[in-house]
Each structure stands twice: as C-alpha cells, then as structure tokens.
Amino acid sequence: MKKANKPTVLAVDDTPDNLHLVMELLHHDYTLKLINDPSKALELLKTNPDIDLILLDIMMPVMDGYELCKIIKSNPHYEKVPVIFLTALEKMSDVIKGFESGAADYVTKPCVPEVLRARVKTHVERKLAYDALARELEAKEEMLFKQSRMSVLGEMFENVTHQWKQPLSIINVGCSTLKMSYEFDELTMDEVITTVDMITAESEYLSQTIDDFRD
C-alpha cells in the first residue's frame, strides 16, 4: 500500500551543485534521494523503492542520461514513473532523443526555480493519481473475482442439493413403507432386505456425492 508521507523524488546528477539546487528547491515538499553516479542509481533501483518521479542529468560520465532512462524504463516497477531531464542541451534533436528514451518532460539548465517546481508538481500529481486509479481497479477486480467465486460456489451448492433430494426422498419413502408394512403386519423378510439394500445404495450415493464435492 502506498505510504502516506511525502512523495519521493530521485535526482541523478554528477555535479554536486546541481544536486544541492534540487535539494534547496524541493526538500520542503518531497522526500529526496540524491545520487551523483548512474551506477549507484541503478543499484538503488534494484531494491524497487517507491519512487514517484526521477530527475536525470543527460551529460554524465560512463553512462549518459539517455541510456540510464532506457534502463529504468525497462523495469516494469518504474514503467509509469515520470522522468524529467535536467540538462543544458537545448537542440531539438536532443529534446526528441530524450522523449524517445522514455522521458516525460525536459527542463533546461540553468533551471528556473518556479518552472522546475511546477513541472515536478504536475508530474508527481499525475503519478499519484495513476497509482490511486490502479489501486481502485485492483480492488474492483478483487471484488469481482470474489463475487464470481461465490457465484460458482452457489451453483455447486445448488447442484449438490439437487443431487441429494432424490436419494433422500427414496430413503424417506423406503423407511415409511417399512413402518407402514410393520404396523399393518404385512412386513416380509424380502421387503426388509429389498428396502434395506435400497437405503444402503442411496446412502452410499450420498456419501460419494459428499466426497466428490469435498474434492
């Protein structure tokens, strides 16, 4: 279940000043995870922590933001987590490449504080709304599954009671017949044996039906 505290934002940037800026602008409203190395970010994400938004620098050594974003988006746990690139790259080709790698938005450096806060707020709210909708759908699916299961059980009980009615009726008639024959002094040994055999057979049928239902 989603925790009730502040949304969590992961920022990955190899420049300490940029991470410090993110901390200054966002720490009041978000729980922050600040990492200066893409490989360390991947190690963190392997543990599947709850992340509501990821801020990525593009130009980083060893692994750039595009590659890191693609790896993140390949993980089903983070498929719906929005990624915002924070970069000094401004060419349209760079922007397009960012979206193609899976980013949801793009903020150029130096960041305008109001713009960064607004973009982060918008995408976090969308993410939280998606999570709430997913939980609601999951709850409805579970409810429908339970209703379907109860419906199946109801049909099974109906079938079992239908199967029980006839042998119970035969047993009842047999017992009544024996009683009446005894009371009118018309009871013969053949009638007793025939009726007892019939009652035994119907009882065995009921027992087998119960075993089948239990299985």
Side-chain angles (χ1 to χ4, degrees), residues 9-67:
V9 173
L10 167 65
V12 185
D13 196 311
D14 65 319
T15 304
D17 288 344
N18 292 334
L19 292 178
H20 181 75
L21 176 62
V22 169
M23 182 182 68
E24 287 294 315
L25 295 178
L26 303 178
H27 77 278
H28 289 296
D29 301 312
Y30 306 96
T31 297
L32 300 177
K33 296 182 182 295
L34 307 177
I35 297 180
N36 63 358
D37 186 329
S39 61
K40 292 180 180 178
L42 291 177
E43 287 298 319
L44 170 68
L45 295 176
K46 285 180 180 178
T47 64
N48 289 346
D50 288 332
I51 304 292
D52 298 299
L53 183 135
I54 300 173
L55 298 172
L56 287 186
D57 183 25
I58 290 181
M59 295 184 293
M60 294 183 289
V62 183
M63 180 186 302
D64 63 28
Y66 298 130
E67 183 179 357

Side-chain angles (χ1 to χ4, degrees), residues 123-190:
H123 288 289
V124 166
E125 288 178 348
R126 288 178 180 174
K127 166 65 165 51
L128 296 180
Y130 173 84
D131 289 346
L133 178 60
R135 290 194 298 272
E136 182 180 348
L137 290 175
E138 183 179 355
K140 288 182 177 179
E141 288 178 356
E142 182 177 357
M143 180 183 67
L144 290 173
F145 172 75
K146 289 181 179 179
Q147 290 177 343
S148 175
R149 184 171 59 182
M150 291 304 297
S151 176
V152 171
L153 287 174
E155 292 178 4
M156 291 174 62
F157 277 117
E158 183 66 26
N159 291 333
V160 168
T161 54
H162 178 74
Q163 293 180 53
W164 285 358
K165 283 182 179 179
Q166 183 175 359
L168 286 173
S169 177
I170 293 173
I171 291 172
N172 184 54
V173 170
C175 291
S176 298
T177 300
L178 281 178
K179 182 179 179 182
M180 291 177 62
S181 297
Y182 177 79
E183 290 176 347
F184 286 98
D185 199 22
E186 297 176 352
L187 188 64
T188 66
M189 184 55 64
D190 287 340

Side-chain angles (χ1 to χ4, degrees), residues 93-131:
S93 58
D94 296 322
V95 175
I96 293 174
K97 187 176 180 180
F99 287 126
E100 289 177 345
S101 67
D105 211 337
Y106 204 100
V107 176
T108 57
K109 298 177 182 178
C111 300
V112 177
E114 292 77 13
V115 171
L116 179 60
R117 289 196 190 99
R119 298 283 180 85
V120 169
K121 182 175 183 293
T122 296
H123 288 289
V124 166
E125 288 178 348
R126 288 178 180 174
K127 166 65 165 51
L128 296 180
Y130 173 84
D131 289 346

